[in-house]
Amino acid sequence: MSTVPDIAHLSMASGDPLLVWRDEFPILEHTTYMISHSLGPMPRRVRTALQDFTDTWASRGIRAWEEGWWEMPVSCGDLIGSIIGAPKGRVVMHQNVSICQTIVTSCFDWKESRNKLVTDGLNFPSNDYIYYGLARQGAEIVSVTSADGMTLPLESMLAAIDERTQLVSLSHVAFRSSYLHDLAAITERAHAVGAYVVADLYQSAGIVPIDVAALGVDFAVGGSVKWLLGGPGAGYLYVREDLDKKLRPAATGWAAHAEPFEFAGGPIDYAPDIHRFLNGTPNVPAMYSARSGYEIVAEIGVAAIRAKSQRQTQLLIALADEIGVTVHSPRDPALRGGTIILDVPNGREVTAELIRRQVLVDYRPGAGIRIAPHFYTSDDEVAHTIAELNSAMRR
Ligand SMILES: Cc1ncc(COP(=O)(O)O)c(C=O)c1O
């Protein structure tokens, strides 16, 4: 049997309607941009959005707070909510995932007998760093290891979750290999034993359809620099509505108070709604810059983005097979996110050479070269990336 797959069926028969969006991204004029798993390209309209921020500050001054700025963590969160299936008023913006995880884990008392935190062995390091820090508060951290460093069979995750588990954490799509977890099954198991689930959606939101409300996850966190094309400083936190009454995050601040402008000292009287998961002054310019990306992703629709991504990542795999390169991401499109990881000799140097040739990709030790088409990518660019990789590799 031939190992070279037939790639004709992976090409677009009659044009690609999503390519009309290319004009929106100035960097595509001179760069093959295959790195939205790391930093998505800037939408052209962000320039106007940031101008709008400075104009508002300049002309409205302090009145800008009550004219929209103060509520931006929630109004901006609603745009994210429309992409991840959260009801209105259930997502708040923070600077990054690390802060969101700190807030989530601060909702629990780790000295109780239910003190186990189960984390997936492919989780993003920042998440682990925060969890292991909880050990000094009494938490028992159980990291479910991946035998191959790339995938994590569902059964291993399910087996680790028991009646002593307080929180289950996973990166929905693994940053290193693009492995896609079965979030529904993990959430079901966690809830069956009375545990909470926090899903890091950074590598899935905007490229894999998600419905946090239908999944029933308790918390979801993520950020905007990648598939959502929103730039830095705009992380987000989703919390299931019924948890407002139960949870009192110890990592907090005055914006989480029921009446923040009363400036009352002493212990906090939490806001009754999602505002209780805020902390201090919001990162307003980051939210101005982030909204454009969300609007574009929402307008295209994640289902259409996913269909194209599955086709082009399959095309990447087929082309990589043709040149005999090891593929580290799952071959089944249903089991992977939007990135393909290719392991080549001297991967770091090959990556540097590709960047020199205006083909933007990145390298992760122990995994390989990460390559990600997005909705603006043409099939020619996919082929060009593999051709340049082949030539850089042989240099
Ligand atoms: C899955 C995942 N979580 C979190 C992060 C980053 O976390 P933070 O927003 O705290 O920088 C990344 C990548 O940078 C990631 O891939």
Side-chain angles (χ1 to χ4, degrees):
M1 203 177 81
S2 164
T3 54
V4 179
D6 169 20
I7 60 169
H9 69 287
L10 293 172
S11 301
M12 284 297 288
S14 57
D16 177 348
L18 299 192
L19 294 183
V20 296
W21 288 98
R22 289 181 68 84
D23 276 354
E24 182 61 42
F25 299 94
I27 201 169
L28 301 183
E29 285 161 23
H30 49 78
T31 308
T32 304
Y33 207 87
M34 306 296 267
I35 196 162
S36 285
H37 54 262
S38 191
L39 177 67
M42 189 196 83
R44 197 180 288 280
R45 56 182 90 165
V46 170
R47 196 185 286 262
T48 319
L50 285 174
Q51 181 75 50
D52 190 16
F53 164 69
T54 53
D55 288 350
T56 304
W57 185 11
S59 63
R60 303 303 298 154
I62 195 161
R63 291 167 294 190
W65 283 118
E66 61 190 41
E67 291 169 0
W69 284 8
W70 186 254
E71 268 310 307
M72 262 182 114
V74 179
S75 63
C76 188
D78 282 342
L79 292 175
I80 295 276
S82 71
I83 295 170
I84 65 169
K88 270 200 175 311
R90 294 315 311 164
V91 178
V92 280
M93 304 302 294
H94 283 285
Q95 186 186 334
N96 55 40
V97 165
S98 308
I99 287 176
C100 297
Q101 292 279 3
T102 305
I103 294 169
V104 169
T105 53
S106 81
C107 292
F108 304 106
D109 184 349
W110 298 100
K111 290 185 192 70
E112 299 281 312
S113 54
R114 194 187 266 275
N115 69 338
K116 214 167 122 176
L117 192 161
V118 174
T119 173
D120 102 69
L122 303 172
N123 216 340
F124 191 73
S126 205
N127 298 337
D128 275 357
Y129 301 157
I130 291 159
Y131 303 152
Y132 281 96
L134 296 169
R136 69 180 87 143
Q137 291 178 36
E140 180 195 338
I141 313 304
V142 175
S143 179
V144 184
T145 47
S146 151
D148 60 3
M150 302 294 157
T151 59
L152 195 51
L154 175 61
E155 305 72 55
S156 328
M157 275 303 279
L158 298 185
I161 303 169
D162 60 17
E163 277 70 17
R164 283 196 36 250
T165 308
Q166 179 69 266
L167 186 64
V168 178
S169 164
L170 68 158
S171 286
H172 188 202
V173 168
F175 78 101
R176 198 187 296 281
S177 63
S178 205
Y179 176 74
L180 175 64
H181 282 278
D182 186 342
L183 184 51
I186 292 168
T187 303
E188 194 182 310
R189 167 76 183 151
H191 287 175
V193 299
Y196 292 88
V197 174
V198 55
D200 182 337
L201 306 181
Y202 219 144
Q203 291 291 355
S204 55
I207 189 81
V208 176
I210 305 158
D211 189 330
V212 286
L215 284 164
V217 293
D218 305 281
F219 309 94
V221 298
S224 304
V225 303
K226 305 177 194 295
W227 310 101
L228 294 174
L229 317 163
Y236 59 88
L237 167 63
Y238 159 79
V239 185
R240 222 182 57 215
E241 188 164 9
D242 56 295
L243 300 179
D244 289 350
K245 290 190 192 69
K246 284 191 202 157
L247 300 179
R248 300 156 45 80
T252 188
W254 68 291
H257 195 280
E259 299 291 346
F261 296 99
E262 294 298 323
F263 299 101
I268 185 166
D269 174 16
Y270 288 102
D273 53 15
I274 191 73
H275 293 85
R276 67 170 48 212
F277 296 97
L278 288 171
N279 49 21
T281 307
N283 190 356
V284 174
M287 291 184 278
Y288 269 86
S289 108
R291 289 186 302 198
S292 306
Y294 310 156
E295 282 160 11
I296 292 170
V297 168
E299 190 177 331
I300 300 172
V302 182
I305 295 175
R306 173 70 164 161
K308 173 167 176 174
S309 162
Q310 289 191 315
R311 180 182 69 76
Q312 285 192 325
T313 47
Q314 208 62 21
L315 180 57
L316 268 169
I317 291 179
L319 294 169
D321 283 342
E322 278 188 347
I323 60 167
V325 166
T326 305
V327 176
H328 270 334
S329 23
R331 284 177 174 267
D332 178 352
L335 292 182
R336 65 166 186 261
T339 312
I340 292 300
I341 291 85
L342 301 181
D343 196 9
V344 305
N346 307 315
R348 203 183 286 278
E349 290 74 18
V350 171
T351 301
E353 176 61 17
L354 285 173
I355 293 169
R356 205 183 59 74
R357 297 180 187 194
Q358 306 292 337
V359 177
L360 301 193
V361 295
D362 65 8
Y363 174 77
R364 287 292 174 270
I369 300 178
R370 302 192 301 175
I371 306 175
H374 206 353
F375 58 84
Y376 46 71
T377 306
S378 69
D379 287 0
D380 284 350
E381 287 176 312
V382 171
H384 176 67
T385 302
I386 296 297
E388 290 293 326
L389 177 115
N390 195 21
S391 127
M393 223 168 61
R394 278 159 217 295
R395 255 186 94 202

